[in-house]
Amino acid sequence: MAIVALPLALGFGVSSGLGAEAGLATAVVAEQLGYRPNSAARRLRRSSTGAVGLHLPQTATRLDYYMNLAFGAVQRAQEEGLDVVLLAPAGGASGPLSYRVDGLLVIDPEVGDSAVPGLLDAGVPVVTGERYLGPSPTPTGAVVCDNAASLTALLDHVRDRGARRPALLAPEGTSAWAQALRETAAGWGAAHGTEVTLHTVPFAATSTDTEVATRRLLATDPGIDAVLCAPDGAAPGALRAASDLGRTVGADLLVASCVDGAAHRGANPPVTAVDLRPADYGRACAALLCDILAGRAEPDTVRRHAWVLETRPSTTGPRS
């Protein structure tokens, strides 16, 4: 049977111009014709684009963490009938953007990202993944991880495993995550009477970057007995450096990561890491934005996202 395009105003409910019987008859005819409600037309009637925008850090395209997060956000948005538009890293957000999307997801917003203020002032609801540390405007809502607690757990773990001279390969940048790691390392060191050596690496450091940094750290201070890598996927570089320098990972040098991922699970030895559950995090960010758009959540809502510490042989001992 051919599918016939019915008028955009066709509805299946009872309206002032249709009695219940007429409405039922219309529904039956529509079903017989193979009609399905036109989602684009529905969005036009409610002045909605049916899409939300997603802004990731500029270096995110090569990081496993952000790709998993994006997939989670897309899946959750689709459950609400919304498409997700990935915004260009260098794109602005003033004016016309508010007509192209119903809301925005801004992940790990950095004070130094020139696009973020415009995104926050785009005239649509905005949910950030992690807090924005810059001046107003502020986002409509946020989903945050307790990054201080996760790094504290990681430092406590390596201390329990015998480490007394830990070092943190800390990310550069002005995100809430980067700041929390630096502040937590300093606070933990003060509380335990031992300095956590900080060495700055790029926000999206490669394993090569980490290898060079670890070599430099261990050459400068051979007493370092634990290296914690902040950037996603970078810890295998620390493993290579340790091996080349004759250190035994899991024994006289512990290696761990602040972000888990495939590179750490498949390393030799597998690397202890904080699993931030990025796909679930993306879903949580999209869920909050959907709830705000649908009136199920109030503006200024902040939700927490849980993390898990996964201990592996890089800190618990060599493989048997």
Side-chain angles (χ1 to χ4, degrees):
M1 178 182 295
I3 298 178
V4 179
L6 299 182
L8 297 181
L10 175 65
F12 296 145
V14 178
S15 67
S16 59
L18 288 175
E21 294 180 358
L24 178 59
T26 302
V28 171
V29 171
E31 183 175 356
Q32 291 174 343
L33 291 173
Y35 171 76
R36 294 295 180 270
N38 186 299
S39 59
R42 286 181 167 181
R43 291 194 290 268
L44 286 172
R45 291 200 301 278
R46 68 172 187 258
S47 299
S48 168
T49 67
V52 295
L54 173 62
H55 178 78
L56 300 172
Q58 294 185 12
T59 54
T61 53
R62 61 185 176 85
L63 296 180
D64 181 62
Y65 172 83
Y66 288 111
M67 292 303 97
N68 283 307
L69 186 151
F71 286 132
V74 168
Q75 289 174 346
R76 182 61 186 88
Q78 287 180 336
E79 292 170 7
E80 297 276 335
L82 296 170
D83 296 324
V84 176
V85 178
L86 182 61
L87 305 179
S94 60
L97 179 61
S98 61
Y99 297 99
R100 298 198 300 270
V101 295
D102 297 333
L104 290 164
L105 298 170
V106 181
I107 307 301
D108 280 329
E110 290 196 278
V111 177
D113 186 341
S114 61
V116 171
L119 292 167
L120 294 175
D121 199 29
V124 296
V126 180
V127 167
T128 59
E130 297 302 339
R131 298 180 186 276
Y132 177 55
L133 302 181
S136 57
T138 57
T140 316
V143 180
V144 300
C145 287
D146 192 341
N147 296 304
S150 67
L151 180 57
T152 297
L154 202 56
L155 286 164
D156 287 346
H157 169 68
V158 297
R159 181 176 174 82
D160 291 344
R161 298 297 301 174
R164 293 297 179 268
R165 299 282 304 281
L168 174 65
L169 302 184
E172 64 184 4
T174 52
S175 68
W177 175 67
Q179 179 172 305
L181 295 185
R182 289 177 173 277
E183 291 179 350
T184 301
W188 187 92
H192 290 82
T194 180
E195 181 183 3
V196 178
T197 301
L198 290 179
H199 184 88
T200 300
V201 294
F203 182 88
T206 65
S207 62
T208 299
D209 293 330
T210 305
E211 181 177 1
V212 171
T214 302
R215 286 179 181 276
R216 185 175 297 122
L217 278 172
L218 297 180
T220 303
D221 186 355
I224 289 174
D225 52 12
V227 175
L228 310 185
C229 306
D232 176 24
L239 300 181
R240 291 195 300 271
S243 177
D244 290 346
L245 293 172
R247 304 289 290 266
T248 302
V249 174
D252 69 329
L253 181 69
L254 308 183
V255 175
S257 174
C258 298
V259 182
D260 201 9
H264 299 142
R265 293 188 292 270
N268 184 21
V271 176
T272 290
V274 175
D275 184 359
L276 296 173
R277 302 164 49 243
D280 288 338
Y281 193 26
R283 285 186 62 87
C285 292
L288 177 55
L289 181 57
C290 290
D291 287 347
I292 290 173
L293 290 171
R296 298 188 297 259
E298 295 294 325
D300 301 322
T301 296
V302 177
R303 293 177 179 171
R304 298 280 179 177
H305 178 68
W307 49 270
V308 179
L309 177 60
E310 298 287 354
T311 58
R312 300 188 180 111
S314 70
T315 59
T316 60
R319 289 182 176 180
S320 58

PDB file of all heavy atoms in Angstrom, residues 49-56 69 73-74 77 82-88 93 97-98 100-107 119 122 124-128 285-286 289 293:
ATOM      1  N   THR A  49      14.284  22.122  17.701  1.00  0.00           N
ATOM      2  CA  THR A  49      15.083  21.551  16.624  1.00  0.00           C
ATOM      3  C   THR A  49      15.202  20.042  16.742  1.00  0.00           C
ATOM      4  O   THR A  49      15.590  19.366  15.798  1.00  0.00           O
ATOM      5  CB  THR A  49      16.498  22.144  16.639  1.00  0.00           C
ATOM      6  OG1 THR A  49      17.178  21.705  17.830  1.00  0.00           O
ATOM      7  CG2 THR A  49      16.461  23.664  16.586  1.00  0.00           C
ATOM      8  N   GLY A  50      14.922  19.505  17.929  1.00  0.00           N
ATOM      9  CA  GLY A  50      15.081  18.074  18.145  1.00  0.00           C
ATOM     10  C   GLY A  50      16.527  17.640  18.217  1.00  0.00           C
ATOM     11  O   GLY A  50      16.841  16.471  17.991  1.00  0.00           O
ATOM     12  N   ALA A  51      17.438  18.566  18.538  1.00  0.00           N
ATOM     13  CA  ALA A  51      18.863  18.240  18.607  1.00  0.00           C
ATOM     14  C   ALA A  51      19.506  18.990  19.766  1.00  0.00           C
ATOM     15  O   ALA A  51      19.046  20.062  20.164  1.00  0.00           O
ATOM     16  CB  ALA A  51      19.561  18.600  17.300  1.00  0.00           C
ATOM     17  N   VAL A  52      20.565  18.403  20.302  1.00  0.00           N
ATOM     18  CA  VAL A  52      21.380  19.081  21.312  1.00  0.00           C
ATOM     19  C   VAL A  52      22.820  19.087  20.818  1.00  0.00           C
ATOM     20  O   VAL A  52      23.244  18.214  20.059  1.00  0.00           O
ATOM     21  CB  VAL A  52      21.284  18.386  22.689  1.00  0.00           C
ATOM     22  CG1 VAL A  52      19.870  18.481  23.236  1.00  0.00           C
ATOM     23  CG2 VAL A  52      21.730  16.931  22.617  1.00  0.00           C
ATOM     24  N   GLY A  53      23.579  20.078  21.240  1.00  0.00           N
ATOM     25  CA  GLY A  53      24.974  20.194  20.837  1.00  0.00           C
ATOM     26  C   GLY A  53      25.901  19.583  21.874  1.00  0.00           C
ATOM     27  O   GLY A  53      25.602  19.577  23.071  1.00  0.00           O
ATOM     28  N   LEU A  54      27.027  19.058  21.414  1.00  0.00           N
ATOM     29  CA  LEU A  54      28.040  18.466  22.294  1.00  0.00           C
ATOM     30  C   LEU A  54      29.381  19.120  22.007  1.00  0.00           C
ATOM     31  O   LEU A  54      29.887  19.060  20.888  1.00  0.00           O
ATOM     32  CB  LEU A  54      28.122  16.959  22.065  1.00  0.00           C
ATOM     33  CG  LEU A  54      29.253  16.210  22.797  1.00  0.00           C
ATOM     34  CD1 LEU A  54      29.096  16.319  24.312  1.00  0.00           C
ATOM     35  CD2 LEU A  54      29.289  14.740  22.371  1.00  0.00           C
ATOM     36  N   HIS A  55      29.962  19.741  23.015  1.00  0.00           N
ATOM     37  CA  HIS A  55      31.271  20.389  22.897  1.00  0.00           C
ATOM     38  C   HIS A  55      32.262  19.639  23.763  1.00  0.00           C
ATOM     39  O   HIS A  55      32.069  19.485  24.971  1.00  0.00           O
ATOM     40  CB  HIS A  55      31.188  21.852  23.348  1.00  0.00           C
ATOM     41  CG  HIS A  55      32.512  22.563  23.306  1.00  0.00           C
ATOM     42  ND1 HIS A  55      33.069  23.027  22.140  1.00  0.00           N
ATOM     43  CD2 HIS A  55      33.391  22.882  24.303  1.00  0.00           C
ATOM     44  CE1 HIS A  55      34.227  23.624  22.403  1.00  0.00           C
ATOM     45  NE2 HIS A  55      34.444  23.534  23.706  1.00  0.00           N
ATOM     46  N   LEU A  56      33.335  19.153  23.139  1.00  0.00           N
ATOM     47  CA  LEU A  56      34.393  18.435  23.831  1.00  0.00           C
ATOM     48  C   LEU A  56      35.677  19.256  23.814  1.00  0.00           C
ATOM     49  O   LEU A  56      35.831  20.155  22.983  1.00  0.00           O
ATOM     50  CB  LEU A  56      34.652  17.088  23.140  1.00  0.00           C
ATOM     51  CG  LEU A  56      33.479  16.113  23.075  1.00  0.00           C
ATOM     52  CD1 LEU A  56      33.842  14.919  22.198  1.00  0.00           C
ATOM     53  CD2 LEU A  56      33.076  15.642  24.464  1.00  0.00           C
ATOM     54  N   LEU A  69      32.527   8.638  26.152  1.00  0.00           N
ATOM     55  CA  LEU A  69      31.573   9.567  26.747  1.00  0.00           C
ATOM     56  C   LEU A  69      30.565  10.051  25.705  1.00  0.00           C
ATOM     57  O   LEU A  69      29.357  10.104  25.960  1.00  0.00           O
ATOM     58  CB  LEU A  69      32.337  10.749  27.359  1.00  0.00           C
ATOM     59  CG  LEU A  69      31.522  11.773  28.163  1.00  0.00           C
ATOM     60  CD1 LEU A  69      32.405  12.406  29.234  1.00  0.00           C
ATOM     61  CD2 LEU A  69      30.931  12.862  27.298  1.00  0.00           C
ATOM     62  N   ALA A  73      26.426   9.714  25.615  1.00  0.00           N
ATOM     63  CA  ALA A  73      25.525  10.858  25.498  1.00  0.00           C
ATOM     64  C   ALA A  73      24.568  10.694  24.330  1.00  0.00           C
ATOM     65  O   ALA A  73      23.366  10.999  24.429  1.00  0.00           O
ATOM     66  CB  ALA A  73      26.348  12.141  25.343  1.00  0.00           C
ATOM     67  N   VAL A  74      25.087  10.204  23.200  1.00  0.00           N
ATOM     68  CA  VAL A  74      24.240  10.012  22.016  1.00  0.00           C
ATOM     69  C   VAL A  74      23.144   8.986  22.301  1.00  0.00           C
ATOM     70  O   VAL A  74      21.971   9.192  21.965  1.00  0.00           O
ATOM     71  CB  VAL A  74      25.097   9.569  20.813  1.00  0.00           C
ATOM     72  CG1 VAL A  74      24.212   9.077  19.665  1.00  0.00           C
ATOM     73  CG2 VAL A  74      25.971  10.729  20.341  1.00  0.00           C
ATOM     74  N   ALA A  77      20.464  10.550  24.565  1.00  0.00           N
ATOM     75  CA  ALA A  77      19.677  11.563  23.853  1.00  0.00           C
ATOM     76  C   ALA A  77      18.702  10.912  22.884  1.00  0.00           C
ATOM     77  O   ALA A  77      17.548  11.346  22.750  1.00  0.00           O
ATOM     78  CB  ALA A  77      20.607  12.525  23.120  1.00  0.00           C
ATOM     79  N   LEU A  82      16.143  12.766  20.571  1.00  0.00           N
ATOM     80  CA  LEU A  82      16.991  13.906  20.243  1.00  0.00           C
ATOM     81  C   LEU A  82      18.244  13.461  19.505  1.00  0.00           C
ATOM     82  O   LEU A  82      18.845  12.438  19.842  1.00  0.00           O
ATOM     83  CB  LEU A  82      17.403  14.655  21.518  1.00  0.00           C
ATOM     84  CG  LEU A  82      16.284  15.317  22.320  1.00  0.00           C
ATOM     85  CD1 LEU A  82      16.824  15.803  23.663  1.00  0.00           C
ATOM     86  CD2 LEU A  82      15.676  16.472  21.547  1.00  0.00           C
ATOM     87  N   ASP A  83      18.640  14.224  18.504  1.00  0.00           N
ATOM     88  CA  ASP A  83      19.914  14.017  17.842  1.00  0.00           C
ATOM     89  C   ASP A  83      20.999  14.780  18.587  1.00  0.00           C
ATOM     90  O   ASP A  83      20.720  15.729  19.325  1.00  0.00           O
ATOM     91  CB  ASP A  83      19.859  14.505  16.391  1.00  0.00           C
ATOM     92  CG  ASP A  83      18.883  13.707  15.546  1.00  0.00           C
ATOM     93  OD1 ASP A  83      18.770  12.495  15.766  1.00  0.00           O
ATOM     94  OD2 ASP A  83      18.215  14.312  14.685  1.00  0.00           O
ATOM     95  N   VAL A  84      22.246  14.370  18.394  1.00  0.00           N
ATOM     96  CA  VAL A  84      23.387  15.053  19.010  1.00  0.00           C
ATOM     97  C   VAL A  84      24.281  15.597  17.906  1.00  0.00           C
ATOM     98  O   VAL A  84      24.693  14.860  17.013  1.00  0.00           O
ATOM     99  CB  VAL A  84      24.184  14.122  19.931  1.00  0.00           C
ATOM    100  CG1 VAL A  84      25.422  14.838  20.473  1.00  0.00           C
ATOM    101  CG2 VAL A  84      23.315  13.637  21.088  1.00  0.00           C
ATOM    102  N   VAL A  85      24.567  16.891  17.977  1.00  0.00           N
ATOM    103  CA  VAL A  85      25.423  17.560  17.005  1.00  0.00           C
ATOM    104  C   VAL A  85      26.775  17.819  17.669  1.00  0.00           C
ATOM    105  O   VAL A  85      26.847  18.505  18.694  1.00  0.00           O
ATOM    106  CB  VAL A  85      24.804  18.893  16.538  1.00  0.00           C
ATOM    107  CG1 VAL A  85      25.740  19.596  15.555  1.00  0.00           C
ATOM    108  CG2 VAL A  85      23.441  18.662  15.911  1.00  0.00           C
ATOM    109  N   LEU A  86      27.839  17.245  17.112  1.00  0.00           N
ATOM    110  CA  LEU A  86      29.176  17.487  17.646  1.00  0.00           C
ATOM    111  C   LEU A  86      29.666  18.828  17.139  1.00  0.00           C
ATOM    112  O   LEU A  86      29.793  19.040  15.932  1.00  0.00           O
ATOM    113  CB  LEU A  86      30.130  16.373  17.221  1.00  0.00           C
ATOM    114  CG  LEU A  86      31.558  16.468  17.761  1.00  0.00           C
ATOM    115  CD1 LEU A  86      31.563  16.412  19.286  1.00  0.00           C
ATOM    116  CD2 LEU A  86      32.422  15.354  17.186  1.00  0.00           C
ATOM    117  N   LEU A  87      29.939  19.739  18.046  1.00  0.00           N
ATOM    118  CA  LEU A  87      30.348  21.092  17.681  1.00  0.00           C
ATOM    119  C   LEU A  87      31.844  21.123  17.387  1.00  0.00           C
ATOM    120  O   LEU A  87      32.639  20.475  18.059  1.00  0.00           O
ATOM    121  CB  LEU A  87      30.021  22.073  18.813  1.00  0.00           C
ATOM    122  CG  LEU A  87      28.557  22.081  19.264  1.00  0.00           C
ATOM    123  CD1 LEU A  87      28.375  23.085  20.396  1.00  0.00           C
ATOM    124  CD2 LEU A  87      27.628  22.430  18.109  1.00  0.00           C
ATOM    125  N   ALA A  88      32.216  21.892  16.391  1.00  0.00           N
ATOM    126  CA  ALA A  88      33.624  22.045  16.050  1.00  0.00           C
ATOM    127  C   ALA A  88      34.371  22.629  17.245  1.00  0.00           C
ATOM    128  O   ALA A  88      33.884  23.558  17.894  1.00  0.00           O
ATOM    129  CB  ALA A  88      33.778  22.946  14.831  1.00  0.00           C
ATOM    130  N   ALA A  93      29.551  30.229  19.809  1.00  0.00           N
ATOM    131  CA  ALA A  93      28.214  29.768  20.137  1.00  0.00           C
ATOM    132  C   ALA A  93      27.219  30.878  20.316  1.00  0.00           C
ATOM    133  O   ALA A  93      26.156  30.667  20.842  1.00  0.00           O
ATOM    134  CB  ALA A  93      28.287  28.945  21.413  1.00  0.00           C
ATOM    135  N   LEU A  97      23.371  29.796  17.133  1.00  0.00           N
ATOM    136  CA  LEU A  97      23.394  28.462  17.674  1.00  0.00           C
ATOM    137  C   LEU A  97      22.122  28.149  18.444  1.00  0.00           C
ATOM    138  O   LEU A  97      21.623  27.028  18.426  1.00  0.00           O
ATOM    139  CB  LEU A  97      24.613  28.280  18.590  1.00  0.00           C
ATOM    140  CG  LEU A  97      24.744  26.912  19.264  1.00  0.00           C
ATOM    141  CD1 LEU A  97      24.881  25.819  18.214  1.00  0.00           C
ATOM    142  CD2 LEU A  97      25.904  26.889  20.210  1.00  0.00           C
ATOM    143  N   SER A  98      21.558  29.124  19.125  1.00  0.00           N
ATOM    144  CA  SER A  98      20.374  28.885  19.925  1.00  0.00           C
ATOM    145  C   SER A  98      19.196  28.456  19.069  1.00  0.00           C
ATOM    146  O   SER A  98      18.229  27.894  19.568  1.00  0.00           O
ATOM    147  CB  SER A  98      20.013  30.146  20.718  1.00  0.00           C
ATOM    148  OG  SER A  98      19.731  31.219  19.840  1.00  0.00           O
ATOM    149  N   ARG A 100      19.628  26.411  16.428  1.00  0.00           N
ATOM    150  CA  ARG A 100      19.979  25.139  15.805  1.00  0.00           C
ATOM    151  C   ARG A 100      19.890  23.970  16.767  1.00  0.00           C
ATOM    152  O   ARG A 100      19.791  22.832  16.340  1.00  0.00           O
ATOM    153  CB  ARG A 100      21.384  25.212  15.206  1.00  0.00           C
ATOM    154  CG  ARG A 100      21.538  26.243  14.107  1.00  0.00           C
ATOM    155  CD  ARG A 100      22.784  25.952  13.281  1.00  0.00           C
ATOM    156  NE  ARG A 100      24.008  25.978  14.081  1.00  0.00           N
ATOM    157  CZ  ARG A 100      24.734  27.060  14.286  1.00  0.00           C
ATOM    158  NH1 ARG A 100      24.363  28.229  13.783  1.00  0.00           N
ATOM    159  NH2 ARG A 100      25.847  27.000  14.996  1.00  0.00           N
ATOM    160  N   VAL A 101      19.979  24.214  18.055  1.00  0.00           N
ATOM    161  CA  VAL A 101      19.897  23.154  19.050  1.00  0.00           C
ATOM    162  C   VAL A 101      19.003  23.593  20.199  1.00  0.00           C
ATOM    163  O   VAL A 101      18.833  24.781  20.451  1.00  0.00           O
ATOM    164  CB  VAL A 101      21.297  22.773  19.590  1.00  0.00           C
ATOM    165  CG1 VAL A 101      22.166  22.177  18.482  1.00  0.00           C
ATOM    166  CG2 VAL A 101      21.992  23.958  20.243  1.00  0.00           C
ATOM    167  N   ASP A 102      18.452  22.595  20.890  1.00  0.00           N
ATOM    168  CA  ASP A 102      17.583  22.887  22.032  1.00  0.00           C
ATOM    169  C   ASP A 102      18.374  23.062  23.321  1.00  0.00           C
ATOM    170  O   ASP A 102      17.884  23.664  24.282  1.00  0.00           O
ATOM    171  CB  ASP A 102      16.575  21.756  22.219  1.00  0.00           C
ATOM    172  CG  ASP A 102      15.648  21.603  21.032  1.00  0.00           C
ATOM    173  OD1 ASP A 102      15.426  22.601  20.331  1.00  0.00           O
ATOM    174  OD2 ASP A 102      15.158  20.481  20.796  1.00  0.00           O
ATOM    175  N   GLY A 103      19.567  22.511  23.373  1.00  0.00           N
ATOM    176  CA  GLY A 103      20.394  22.587  24.567  1.00  0.00           C
ATOM    177  C   GLY A 103      21.812  22.181  24.238  1.00  0.00           C
ATOM    178  O   GLY A 103      22.111  21.734  23.124  1.00  0.00           O
ATOM    179  N   LEU A 104      22.693  22.312  25.203  1.00  0.00           N
ATOM    180  CA  LEU A 104      24.119  22.053  24.976  1.00  0.00           C
ATOM    181  C   LEU A 104      24.716  21.212  26.091  1.00  0.00           C
ATOM    182  O   LEU A 104      24.385  21.385  27.271  1.00  0.00           O
ATOM    183  CB  LEU A 104      24.891  23.373  24.897  1.00  0.00           C
ATOM    184  CG  LEU A 104      24.654  24.245  23.660  1.00  0.00           C
ATOM    185  CD1 LEU A 104      25.165  25.647  23.898  1.00  0.00           C
ATOM    186  CD2 LEU A 104      25.353  23.621  22.456  1.00  0.00           C
ATOM    187  N   LEU A 105      25.625  20.313  25.707  1.00  0.00           N
ATOM    188  CA  LEU A 105      26.472  19.589  26.635  1.00  0.00           C
ATOM    189  C   LEU A 105      27.897  20.093  26.434  1.00  0.00           C
ATOM    190  O   LEU A 105      28.429  20.031  25.325  1.00  0.00           O
ATOM    191  CB  LEU A 105      26.422  18.089  26.363  1.00  0.00           C
ATOM    192  CG  LEU A 105      25.062  17.405  26.520  1.00  0.00           C
ATOM    193  CD1 LEU A 105      25.119  15.983  25.976  1.00  0.00           C
ATOM    194  CD2 LEU A 105      24.631  17.400  27.979  1.00  0.00           C
ATOM    195  N   VAL A 106      28.512  20.598  27.481  1.00  0.00           N
ATOM    196  CA  VAL A 106      29.876  21.128  27.411  1.00  0.00           C
ATOM    197  C   VAL A 106      30.724  20.323  28.397  1.00  0.00           C
ATOM    198  O   VAL A 106      30.520  20.413  29.609  1.00  0.00           O
ATOM    199  CB  VAL A 106      29.917  22.631  27.747  1.00  0.00           C
ATOM    200  CG1 VAL A 106      31.343  23.153  27.647  1.00  0.00           C
ATOM    201  CG2 VAL A 106      29.004  23.409  26.804  1.00  0.00           C
ATOM    202  N   ILE A 107      31.627  19.518  27.869  1.00  0.00           N
ATOM    203  CA  ILE A 107      32.361  18.558  28.690  1.00  0.00           C
ATOM    204  C   ILE A 107      33.751  19.091  29.045  1.00  0.00           C
ATOM    205  O   ILE A 107      34.488  19.558  28.186  1.00  0.00           O
ATOM    206  CB  ILE A 107      32.493  17.213  27.952  1.00  0.00           C
ATOM    207  CG1 ILE A 107      31.121  16.721  27.488  1.00  0.00           C
ATOM    208  CG2 ILE A 107      33.175  16.190  28.843  1.00  0.00           C
ATOM    209  CD1 ILE A 107      30.108  16.525  28.598  1.00  0.00           C
ATOM    210  N   LEU A 119      29.188  29.533  24.462  1.00  0.00           N
ATOM    211  CA  LEU A 119      28.306  28.386  24.622  1.00  0.00           C
ATOM    212  C   LEU A 119      27.403  28.568  25.831  1.00  0.00           C
ATOM    213  O   LEU A 119      26.203  28.279  25.783  1.00  0.00           O
ATOM    214  CB  LEU A 119      29.130  27.107  24.764  1.00  0.00           C
ATOM    215  CG  LEU A 119      29.906  26.649  23.527  1.00  0.00           C
ATOM    216  CD1 LEU A 119      30.918  25.578  23.900  1.00  0.00           C
ATOM    217  CD2 LEU A 119      28.959  26.121  22.465  1.00  0.00           C
ATOM    218  N   ALA A 122      24.478  31.026  25.104  1.00  0.00           N
ATOM    219  CA  ALA A 122      23.827  30.797  23.812  1.00  0.00           C
ATOM    220  C   ALA A 122      22.314  30.921  23.861  1.00  0.00           C
ATOM    221  O   ALA A 122      21.655  30.836  22.834  1.00  0.00           O
ATOM    222  CB  ALA A 122      24.212  29.414  23.276  1.00  0.00           C
ATOM    223  N   VAL A 124      20.226  28.818  25.430  1.00  0.00           N
ATOM    224  CA  VAL A 124      19.588  27.514  25.603  1.00  0.00           C
ATOM    225  C   VAL A 124      20.138  26.878  26.874  1.00  0.00           C
ATOM    226  O   VAL A 124      21.209  27.266  27.349  1.00  0.00           O
ATOM    227  CB  VAL A 124      19.846  26.594  24.386  1.00  0.00           C
ATOM    228  CG1 VAL A 124      19.221  27.158  23.123  1.00  0.00           C
ATOM    229  CG2 VAL A 124      21.348  26.360  24.188  1.00  0.00           C
ATOM    230  N   PRO A 125      19.431  25.891  27.449  1.00  0.00           N
ATOM    231  CA  PRO A 125      19.969  25.216  28.634  1.00  0.00           C
ATOM    232  C   PRO A 125      21.313  24.557  28.333  1.00  0.00           C
ATOM    233  O   PRO A 125      21.504  23.971  27.266  1.00  0.00           O
ATOM    234  CB  PRO A 125      18.897  24.171  28.954  1.00  0.00           C
ATOM    235  CG  PRO A 125      17.638  24.722  28.382  1.00  0.00           C
ATOM    236  CD  PRO A 125      18.058  25.439  27.130  1.00  0.00           C
ATOM    237  N   VAL A 126      22.230  24.657  29.280  1.00  0.00           N
ATOM    238  CA  VAL A 126      23.574  24.100  29.127  1.00  0.00           C
ATOM    239  C   VAL A 126      23.900  23.243  30.347  1.00  0.00           C
ATOM    240  O   VAL A 126      23.763  23.688  31.483  1.00  0.00           O
ATOM    241  CB  VAL A 126      24.636  25.211  28.993  1.00  0.00           C
ATOM    242  CG1 VAL A 126      26.019  24.587  28.825  1.00  0.00           C
ATOM    243  CG2 VAL A 126      24.321  26.125  27.826  1.00  0.00           C
ATOM    244  N   VAL A 127      24.323  22.012  30.094  1.00  0.00           N
ATOM    245  CA  VAL A 127      24.801  21.127  31.156  1.00  0.00           C
ATOM    246  C   VAL A 127      26.288  20.885  30.925  1.00  0.00           C
ATOM    247  O   VAL A 127      26.701  20.540  29.813  1.00  0.00           O
ATOM    248  CB  VAL A 127      24.045  19.786  31.161  1.00  0.00           C
ATOM    249  CG1 VAL A 127      24.757  18.748  32.041  1.00  0.00           C
ATOM    250  CG2 VAL A 127      22.610  19.990  31.654  1.00  0.00           C
ATOM    251  N   THR A 128      27.081  21.077  31.955  1.00  0.00           N
ATOM    252  CA  THR A 128      28.512  20.826  31.844  1.00  0.00           C
ATOM    253  C   THR A 128      28.858  19.499  32.510  1.00  0.00           C
ATOM    254  O   THR A 128      28.262  19.119  33.519  1.00  0.00           O
ATOM    255  CB  THR A 128      29.349  21.939  32.493  1.00  0.00           C
ATOM    256  OG1 THR A 128      28.998  22.061  33.884  1.00  0.00           O
ATOM    257  CG2 THR A 128      29.125  23.263  31.797  1.00  0.00           C
ATOM    258  N   CYS A 285      25.151  13.053  31.758  1.00  0.00           N
ATOM    259  CA  CYS A 285      25.095  14.446  31.303  1.00  0.00           C
ATOM    260  C   CYS A 285      23.903  14.660  30.380  1.00  0.00           C
ATOM    261  O   CYS A 285      23.154  15.635  30.519  1.00  0.00           O
ATOM    262  CB  CYS A 285      26.391  14.817  30.588  1.00  0.00           C
ATOM    263  SG  CYS A 285      27.854  14.888  31.654  1.00  0.00           S
ATOM    264  N   ALA A 286      23.710  13.743  29.435  1.00  0.00           N
ATOM    265  CA  ALA A 286      22.586  13.872  28.514  1.00  0.00           C
ATOM    266  C   ALA A 286      21.264  13.723  29.250  1.00  0.00           C
ATOM    267  O   ALA A 286      20.282  14.422  28.936  1.00  0.00           O
ATOM    268  CB  ALA A 286      22.701  12.835  27.403  1.00  0.00           C
ATOM    269  N   LEU A 289      20.394  17.017  30.924  1.00  0.00           N
ATOM    270  CA  LEU A 289      19.936  18.005  29.953  1.00  0.00           C
ATOM    271  C   LEU A 289      18.523  17.675  29.479  1.00  0.00           C
ATOM    272  O   LEU A 289      17.671  18.573  29.380  1.00  0.00           O
ATOM    273  CB  LEU A 289      20.896  18.063  28.767  1.00  0.00           C
ATOM    274  CG  LEU A 289      20.550  19.083  27.676  1.00  0.00           C
ATOM    275  CD1 LEU A 289      20.440  20.501  28.239  1.00  0.00           C
ATOM    276  CD2 LEU A 289      21.582  19.040  26.549  1.00  0.00           C
ATOM    277  N   LEU A 293      15.237  20.051  29.880  1.00  0.00           N
ATOM    278  CA  LEU A 293      14.429  20.446  28.718  1.00  0.00           C
ATOM    279  C   LEU A 293      12.973  20.029  28.882  1.00  0.00           C
ATOM    280  O   LEU A 293      12.057  20.744  28.446  1.00  0.00           O
ATOM    281  CB  LEU A 293      15.010  19.812  27.448  1.00  0.00           C
ATOM    282  CG  LEU A 293      16.353  20.358  26.965  1.00  0.00           C
ATOM    283  CD1 LEU A 293      16.904  19.496  25.829  1.00  0.00           C
ATOM    284  CD2 LEU A 293      16.227  21.807  26.515  1.00  0.00           C
TER     285      LEU A 293
END
